[in-house]
Amino acid sequence: QVQLVESGGGLVQPGGSLRLSCVASGFEFQIYWMHWVRQVPGKELEWVSDINGDGKVIHYADSAKGRFTISRDNTKNTLYLQMNNLKSEDTAVYYCASKRYYVNKNYDHWGQGTTVTVSS
C-alpha cells in the first residue's frame, strides 16, 4: 500500500521557518522524482519544488528560490522542505507527490497534506 505522509506544518510568524517532512512507503522511493506542491483553499495547485531520485537535480518555483530548500534521505524514504523567511503568501496546504518520470503529466502518488499558516 502506497503512502505519503506529510508533517511539520503549523503556525509561524512572517520571517520564521518550518521544515516539512514526507515519509514514503509502498513504492521504490529512491527512483521517483519527488515534488512539493501547495494549494491555497479555493485556488489552483501551485508546484513549489522537485528533486530527482538521487537528489542531484533540483528545481524551484520562482516563489521558492532563495528561501526554500528541498532534500531527500533515501535511507529513510523521506522528503524534506526547509522553508525560511516565510511570508503570508506561503500560507497553504503543502502536499508531497511523486512521479516515476519527470515528463509525466500526472503525479503517481499524493500525500494528505500539511497546513502551513504564516501570520503574526
Side-chain angles (χ1 to χ4, degrees), residues 63-79:
S63 59
K65 284 179 183 175
R67 301 188 300 124
F68 293 2
T69 302
I70 192 171
S71 62
R72 65 192 297 162
D73 185 342
N74 287 344
T75 67
K76 297 180 180 179
N77 280 8
T78 303
L79 174 73

Side-chain angles (χ1 to χ4, degrees), residues 11-86:
L11 173 63
V12 63
Q13 292 186 342
S17 298
L18 282 176
R19 188 194 196 201
L20 306 184
S21 300
C22 170
V23 179
S25 60
F27 66 101
E28 280 189 89
F29 177 77
Q30 66 271 20
I31 66 172
Y32 276 72
W33 282 85
M34 294 301 298
H35 299 246
W36 286 101
V37 181
R38 67 187 183 186
Q39 187 172 33
V40 176
K43 296 191 176 182
E44 292 187 353
L45 287 167
E46 178 190 8
W47 168 79
V48 175
S49 181
D50 61 43
I51 184 169
N52 78 328
D54 63 10
K56 293 181 179 179
V57 181
I58 288 172
H59 305 103
Y60 294 102
D62 287 344
S63 59
K65 284 179 183 175
R67 301 188 300 124
F68 293 2
T69 302
I70 192 171
S71 62
R72 65 192 297 162
D73 185 342
N74 287 344
T75 67
K76 297 180 180 179
N77 280 8
T78 303
L79 174 73
Y80 302 100
L81 186 68
Q82 176 67 43
M83 303 188 295
N84 298 329
N85 190 21
L86 283 160

